[in-house]
Amino acid sequence: MRKFGYQVGRWDLARYRERSPQDTFTALDREWSLLPDVWPGNAIATRLFTSWLPYKEADTFLEVGCGTGVTAVTAALQGCSRVCALDISPAAVENSRLNAVRHGVSERITILRSDLFSELGSSNGFDLIYWNSPFAEAPTDHLYESQLDYAVFDADYAMHQRYFAEAHRYMTDGARLFLGFSDTLGNSARLMDLATTAGFTGSVYQREVFSLPISVPGVETSGGDTNVDYTLYEFREA
């Protein structure tokens, strides 16, 4: 297990819980609604992955773990004719609905409360499937204290395993599977093993590295900053 990513995830959650309440945020030059207990969509990872995805190359788009709905709404605004957004958190589902209405695309987005793909019908096929995954690998006995924890941690990478194992049935011919990740904070070797076992080949689609002021007890950093990558992986059926 990558203990560093787990420690950083706990630190990041603690920072979130200490922040001042807010009901809007700005991301990608737009204003968005924000409900309590939903991860703000102006996080670095969300902004990067959302701006990198190739919407113009897909007609139908599915987002797993939609949060505030920034990426799903962007897909609709970029021209995808049918968009579906899923999240395990009721607050995130409602937040995504608010932002779909706010930006005038609610008629083209279906938003469902779903544990990964659990609420999708088997007849639903998508050209592009995307998940900004909870890449902090947690121990098997990790206790999820709130719905928000599911946006940060994946105990024993069980959700990642399911993502690859179940995605096939929701892909159109030639569809592409994307996953937002961090090699610094996640376990990329295990990620690739899970993808290969499920019948996918993966490659880096785009990556950027930042020097961030991460201050985690027990974790040494150089000059107070840590280099952290955000990597968008692309997977295709082997």
Side-chain angles (χ1 to χ4, degrees), residues 126-207:
F126 297 89
D127 303 325
L128 196 159
I129 299 176
Y130 163 72
W131 184 26
N132 180 1
S133 77
F135 41 72
E137 184 182 15
T140 305
D141 60 354
H142 173 76
L143 176 63
Y144 289 89
E145 297 178 0
S146 71
Q147 293 285 338
L148 199 62
D149 285 44
Y150 288 96
V152 180
F153 301 116
D154 184 6
D156 199 33
Y157 268 20
M159 287 187 285
H160 285 82
Q161 183 178 23
R162 284 182 53 208
Y163 180 69
F164 290 117
E166 299 172 10
H168 295 281
R169 72 188 71 168
Y170 306 107
M171 300 173 69
T172 58
D173 291 341
R176 301 151 78 186
L177 196 65
F178 284 85
L179 190 136
F181 200 75
S182 170
D183 292 348
T184 311
L185 304 176
N187 187 339
S188 57
R190 187 155 186 213
L191 178 78
M192 289 302 178
D193 284 345
L194 292 173
T196 300
T197 299
F200 288 96
T201 58
S203 60
V204 172
Y205 185 78
Q206 197 155 338
R207 171 183 286 148

Side-chain angles (χ1 to χ4, degrees), residues 22 24-33 40-43 47 70:
Q22 62 184 98
T24 62
F25 64 91
T26 302
L28 304 174
D29 299 321
R30 292 187 174 91
E31 194 79 4
W32 306 83
S33 299
N42 58 351
R47 289 189 285 108
V70 168

